[in-house]
Each structure stands twice: as C-alpha cells, then as structure tokens.
Amino acid sequence: MTSRIAIVGAGPVGCAAAAFLTRDGLAPALWSPTGRRVRHDADRASFTCAGSVSGEVEVEWLASPDRLAEFDVVLVCLPADAYAAVLGPLNAVWRPGQHVIVSGALSLAPLWIAAAVEGVQVSGWGTTLTTTHFQPDGSLHVNPLRSRIDMATVGPLEPPQAVRMCADLFGDRFVAADNLLTPTLANINPIAHAAEVIPNLTRMEVGEAWSLFGHFTAVVGRMAEALDAERRTVARGFGLEVPSLRQHYARSYHVPEGPLHTMAAAITDNGMSPNGPASLQHRYVLEDAPFGLAFLEALGRAAGVHTPVLSACLRLLEVAYGRDFRADNFLLDALDIAGGGADALMARCAAAASPAS
C-alpha cells in the first residue's frame, strides 16, 4: 500500500516530485516556508509543467508545517543552506514511525535529523529524482526520472523496507547502501557546480542569460574531471567506490559516456540544459560551497586524503564572495565530521544504518 506523502519545499525539485506523483495517480501534499514559485491559497497549490510531465499540476497545500506530522512519508527537497533555518524547527514536528527522506542529502544531514527524534526513520538520497528548472515564463521544465538513486537509511526500518517505500512512490530506481557516506559521496552537485560556475562568475554577477551545459566547454570539463577524481579518492579513503561524474550524467540525461564537454553538448542538443545561474546569490554556490565542497574537504582530512583542487576552488569562491564558506556549514561542528578520523566516522554512519541486504 502506497504511503501518504508530503513534500517540504516548493522549488523546482519539490514541484517536480509532486508532478510525477500526481501523474501516477497519487495525491501528494506540499509545504514551503515561502511558496513563492507556485500559485496557492489556503489548501490548494498549482503550477504548470512541460517536458516529462506536461500540463497543470494541482496538489494539496499545507498552510502549517505542523500538519507534516500527519503523513507517513515526508520528502525534504530543500537546499542545504536552508537546513538550519527550516529543518531545525521541523525537528520538533517529526514523530516516531515517520519516514523522512532527504533528497540530495548533503553533509550527513540524515544523522542530524535522526538524532532529534527517537524512532523516526531518515533516508538520504545521493541525488534528486530528476533535473528540473523553472523557465522564464514561470512554468517548470521537468526532465526524465534518473535511472538510479543510491540511498541509505537511519532508524528502525530495514533498508529493503525503506527502498520499497521509495519504489512504491517513484518506481524501481533505488539502491540501498550499507553506510550513509555512500550516497553522500555519490552526490556530484558540489564538484560539478564548482567547475561550471567559477569560469562564469561574471555572467552570474551581471545577470546574463546563459546555457549551463552550452557553456560546459573543455576548460570546464578538465576542472570537473579533476574535482571528480578528488571526490572519488576521498571515497576510497573510506573504502568506498562511487559512480563517476561521467556515469552520473549518462544515467541522469540518457546520453553516451565520453569526455564531459561532449556529453554536455549532447545534453544541450537534447534540449535538457537549464540556464546557468543569473545571480551570485544562487544555491550552486551558497549551498554547494559550504555543504558540499567544505564537507568533502573535511572528509578528506578525516581520511588523510589531500584535496588541492577542491580546496583551491573553495578558496577562490570565498575570495569572490568575501565570505567564509567553511564557517557557513554548521553540520561540520554539530556532527564533528573531522573528529576521530575515517574509521570513527565510518563506524558512526554504519552503526546508524541497518545493514543492506
């Protein structure tokens, strides 16, 4: 039996999840602290989709976050820089027996949530359901669902049960990991976005309209390959193997594997490239620098792995923005990421998650 599901976050990813659920005959509810990207009244919300889901989508709108306690499953679709302000208060809403799923979980946020409420089930996905973006006319362009999403779970459910709950909602695409670090390190957004935005910061600053993958040149490709190599080396420092950025793009955009800039050209030719950020105040930096790059750097320290390219990119972004992105990630201290070394962190993540079958 399919569980009742609520979605936290009415940005592109949350709305896309609601669109796929509605398309498949389910009735999700949506809650957002702002709701600025959708049309809503006291109890209904709507938005227009194009792409893999087309037409008008209408869902239940939750006027109060307290109502999230009514739902068996809650899918969190928030940028990591909203974790403290939004998820912090929601830790008082979760109840034992609920299954809270963090989409594209960064910085081991599931560990933090699970510590707040005894008996709550928390799963972390290594990426989002799909790639999606709001277009200039306000409609949501939705790409196909990803073919594979790695996940790990914390709490009383066995991983096969948690995977089955996700599959009942979104299809057979979820693969259980036996350690929360696996889907965390499988998340390619921080390293991909760093390579994409650093050469294009002035485009962002002046608000230029530019194609993200259309400007994914060989220069961007070399940066992304170097960052990806360090991400995968950090993973190996914990005894883990994670998919490469090439494999991720092939699965996400259904294009042949090859040099990254040729894959990006194919993504653009297939009409699946979003515009790049048109402002410096964008999650590709504000989320991914502190909760992605700084987190990966801290994992590298814990595992004794040097990350010179990653650290250099993080420092360049700090200089460009005039802020300390490492200090912006409260989870580094809250979870003592670098304390105790790789073995201690692996043990904490493995102890929190039941063994995968």
Side-chain angles (χ1 to χ4, degrees):
M1 180 177 178
T2 301
S3 302
R4 293 186 70 218
I5 179 170
I7 298 168
V8 173
V13 174
C15 287
F20 280 111
L21 290 166
T22 302
R23 182 199 66 179
D24 293 340
L26 302 178
L30 195 62
W31 178 79
S32 165
T34 64
R36 63 183 181 85
R37 303 305 295 266
V38 299
R39 302 178 295 275
H40 67 88
D41 55 26
D43 57 6
R44 304 299 294 175
S46 63
F47 53 93
T48 304
C49 282
S52 294
V53 181
S54 297
E56 192 77 1
V57 175
E58 183 175 313
V59 298
E60 181 182 1
W61 179 257
L62 303 180
S64 168
D66 293 338
R67 290 202 55 205
L68 292 169
E70 301 171 15
F71 293 83
D72 303 315
V73 178
V74 180
L75 176 62
V76 175
C77 298
L78 293 172
D81 54 326
Y83 285 174
V86 179
L87 280 187
L90 291 182
N91 281 343
V93 174
W94 312 135
R95 57 171 172 78
Q98 272 189 307
H99 188 185
V100 177
I101 303 166
V102 184
S103 170
L106 291 172
S107 294
L108 294 178
L111 277 181
W112 173 64
I113 297 171
V117 181
E118 185 177 355
V120 70
Q121 183 77 22
V122 190
S123 291
W125 290 351
T127 188
T128 56
L129 282 168
T130 184
T131 55
T132 179
H133 60 278
F134 280 107
Q135 302 184 105
D137 64 1
S139 64
L140 181 70
H141 185 274
V142 182
N143 289 326
L145 288 165
R146 301 186 197 271
S147 60
R148 170 174 170 152
I149 298 174
D150 294 294
M151 62 177 285
T153 188
V154 184
L157 285 180
E158 291 294 320
Q161 292 177 277
V163 167
R164 190 158 51 248
M165 292 179 74
C166 293
D168 284 346
L169 293 164
F170 297 108
D172 186 16
R173 63 193 72 256
F174 299 94
V175 179
D178 61 3
N179 194 291
L180 283 167
L181 278 170
T182 304
T184 299
L185 285 162
N187 191 324
I188 58 83
N189 281 352
I191 55 104
H193 292 163
E196 289 162 345
V197 303
I198 288 174
N200 292 291
L201 284 171
T202 56
R203 286 192 167 97
M204 296 167 60
E205 188 174 28
V206 300
E208 181 180 327
W210 58 286
S211 168
L212 186 71
F213 285 108
H215 288 81
F216 198 119
T217 64
V219 168
V220 174
R222 286 192 290 273
M223 289 179 62
E225 291 279 18
L227 286 164
D228 194 42
E230 290 187 355
R231 175 185 68 97
R232 297 177 73 195
T233 301
V234 170
R236 292 188 191 103
F238 289 91
L240 304 172
E241 288 290 336
V242 294
S244 69
L245 181 55
R246 293 187 184 193
Q247 291 171 319
H248 177 88
Y249 279 166
R251 292 169 179 170
S252 298
Y253 295 98
H254 311 284
V255 296
E257 279 191 48
L260 286 173
H261 68 284
T262 63
M263 297 182 76
I267 293 168
T268 304
D269 291 343
N270 291 342
M272 290 191 290
S273 175
N275 276 350
S279 167
L280 291 176
Q281 304 307 306
H282 195 277
R283 67 180 181 84
Y284 281 13
V285 176
L286 301 183
E287 172 185 33
D288 288 325
F291 292 91
L293 298 182
F295 177 74
L296 284 169
E297 183 185 60
L299 287 183
R301 287 199 303 272
V305 173
H306 192 38
T307 56
V309 178
L310 188 152
S311 296
C313 287
L314 181 57
R315 181 60 185 145
L316 280 172
L317 289 170
E318 287 185 326
V319 170
Y321 276 72
R323 61 191 291 177
D324 184 351
F325 284 124
R326 294 172 175 88
D328 286 348
N329 186 346
F330 72 99
L331 289 172
L332 295 179
D333 290 332
L335 296 173
D336 191 20
I337 296 300
D343 291 344
L345 186 56
M346 280 288 287
R348 288 169 63 198
C349 291
S354 304
S357 62

